[in-house]
Amino acid sequence: WFLGSHVRENGAFHLWTGLVLGLGLCIGVAIGEADRLWRQQASLEAAQLLNGYTGCLRDAGCQEASDKEAILKELAESGFEKDVQDAIQVLLDSGMSTPTLRAATALAGRLQHAGYVNWSMFALVSLTWTFVPLETIRYLVEDEYLKMVARGVCSPDSLSELEDMCMRATSQFNATVQEWCSEMYSSRVEGCAPPLQRAAVWYALLGLLEGIAFALLLMALRQDRRAFAAAVQTRVLAVLGVLVFMVPMFVADVTCYDNFAAQVTTYFILFPVAFALAASGPARVSEIPIV
């Protein structure tokens, strides 16, 4: 009964976007608990690695003194002693030691927890950038187009009547009334346009595809690059992306549906930049001076 009445009042798409949001939040809570356990295990392993470690390779212990002497002599003669020392430090800082992380560390300095993927944050950001395009499409289709068509305000006669009224207002009323009438007519014409003829719908569809592409990229990357990609997503899309929508919403009362500049900035600049940085990996990005 509740679902039926909700669909009748708000539309089926409204129900589905709400279910996506609710399901995503439940999954995020579960992943957050898993993240906590993984971090706890990682801290335990790091403590075990640091047990008795002084930070110097030559102070490392060995069951047989002769074995230690032979290993250190071989490293010294090979010229790789410093490389091994650095690799151990990367392992302690990042949770893993790979050529990619060692190259990035050599250029950018120590990278704490660089091998750890914050899955709960990744899920939260992915949920946000799934819900925003879906909600935008739902609003433009259900709350504007379908409701306006149902009220009959999109008929040619209705639009013609409104246009005539605005033309009369141009000669009879002051500039404020004329501006209001012109904006109302433009809004009516835009809202009555089929959804696939509206740029905002295509931008939202592009955002959905970009979100899917980013998730597939993350799954395809190796663990050391995957953690970096997730961090890029959080910093670029979560921080900058939310700001371009939220600041105008609170400061100027501009909703995400009407914020054309934010849509263009997010879908044509922030998403491609985040994708490019994530695909490049930490080693290549660390070569960029401004990054």
Side-chain angles (χ1 to χ4, degrees), residues 1-29:
W1 171 83
F2 171 76
L3 293 179
S5 62
H6 183 87
V7 170
R8 285 192 298 271
E9 292 177 7
N10 302 287
F13 204 178
H14 188 278
L15 173 65
W16 283 110
T17 55
L19 290 175
V20 168
L21 179 61
L23 180 62
L25 290 175
C26 291
I27 294 174
V29 170

Side-chain angles (χ1 to χ4, degrees), residues 7 13 15 31 39 50 62 76 140 154 158 192 212 232 270 281 291:
V7 170
F13 204 178
L15 173 65
I31 296 177
R39 290 296 292 267
L50 288 169
C62 191
L140 296 176
C154 291
S158 178
C192 289
I212 293 172
V232 167
L270 296 183
V291 178

Side-chain angles (χ1 to χ4, degrees), residues 1 84 86 98 161 254 280:
W1 171 83
V84 174
D86 293 340
T98 66
E161 181 181 350
V254 179
S280 298

